[in-house]
Amino acid sequence: QVQLVESGGGLVQAGGSLRLSCAASGRTFVNYALGWFRQAPGKEHEFVADITWDYTYTLSAAAKGRFTISRDNSKNTMYLQMNSLKPEDTAVYYCTATSMATREPKSIDYWGKGTLVTVSS
């Protein structure tokens, strides 16, 4: 089992920044691809970014140029730096872990409980 705990969400004005963190415990952290999904009210889960054990990362089109994903295997922690935030970024952001990187929510092995990000206009 892997336990994932997100933090860093909150209310920010459009154009502002937030840094989300995901602390992992349980099985060997380094073996998992870690990612971020988000879910806006009334919408499906949406892939945001992921990063593999060797730091190879993928960003969604919505995240490119504004978000940065990183991980610190020594601290069992992953981060999502979000800059130039827009109202449409408002969502619950979930940390995920999976044995193989995927953009399919149904294929995710572990989910955190989420942290709410609200961007005001």
Side-chain angles (χ1 to χ4, degrees), residues 5-70:
V5 179
E6 304 93 337
S7 61
L11 174 63
V12 64
Q13 288 189 331
S17 298
L18 281 175
R19 187 194 196 202
L20 305 184
S21 298
C22 172
S25 60
R27 290 189 174 181
T28 306
F29 177 83
V30 70
N31 293 340
Y32 288 87
L34 306 175
W36 293 95
F37 281 73
R38 67 187 182 184
Q39 187 174 30
K43 295 190 175 181
E44 307 258 330
H45 284 98
E46 176 189 9
F47 170 80
V48 177
D50 65 17
I51 185 166
T52 61
W53 65 274
D54 62 350
Y55 306 101
T56 300
Y57 65 90
T58 301
L59 297 169
S60 68
K64 281 181 181 177
R66 300 187 299 128
F67 296 1
T68 303
I69 187 170
S70 61

